[in-house]
């Protein structure tokens, strides 16, 4: 039984295509790491911005608007419009919103 011997020397360099593929793979891995870090920073900034906006809304004095469509609804007249619990006026011709 005989073995097939390779044609090239045993210590030869890999083909150019294999070297290029290895370089391309390394570049893509590095780009992936950089993009992952950038995505984490953008997500963290967006979360901080959302929390700041929520805290600002909570701190601001926002008005509460209520509309009572029926007489049986807490004794309010039909079409009554309230802002912060005070009667502001009536919406004529409207019984439901």
């Amino acid at each position: 039984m005989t073995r097939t011997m390779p044609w090239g020397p045993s210590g030869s360099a890999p083909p150019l295509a294999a070297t290029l593929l290895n370089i391309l793979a390394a570049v893509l891995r590095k780009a992936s790491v950089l993009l992952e870090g950038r995505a984490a920073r953008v997500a963290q900034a967006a979360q901080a911005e959302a929390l700041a906006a929520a805290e600002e809304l909570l701190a601001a004095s926002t008005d509460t608007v209520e509309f009572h469509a029926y007489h049986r609804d807490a004794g309010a007249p039909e079409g009554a419009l309230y802002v912060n619990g005070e009667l502001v006026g009536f919406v004529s011709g409207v019984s439901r919103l």
Side-chain angles (χ1 to χ4, degrees), residues 47-61:
Q47 184 180 12
E49 184 178 329
L51 285 174
E55 289 176 6
E56 182 180 332
L57 281 176
L58 288 174
S61 60

Side-chain angles (χ1 to χ4, degrees), residues 2-65:
T2 61
R3 289 189 171 195
T4 307
M5 300 298 291
W7 289 97
S10 62
S12 66
L16 180 61
T19 304
L20 291 177
L21 286 177
N22 286 333
I23 292 171
L24 180 62
V27 168
L28 288 175
R29 281 192 296 271
K30 183 64 175 174
S32 175
V33 169
L34 291 174
L35 287 174
E36 183 181 5
R38 175 71 176 146
R41 285 191 302 275
V42 167
Q44 187 178 14
Q47 184 180 12
E49 184 178 329
L51 285 174
E55 289 176 6
E56 182 180 332
L57 281 176
L58 288 174
S61 60
T62 57
D63 293 332
T64 303
V65 177

Side-chain angles (χ1 to χ4, degrees), residues 62-68 80-89:
T62 57
D63 293 332
T64 303
V65 177
E66 301 174 34
F67 175 75
H68 295 276
L81 185 62
Y82 292 86
V83 174
N84 290 338
E86 295 183 27
L87 178 64
V88 180

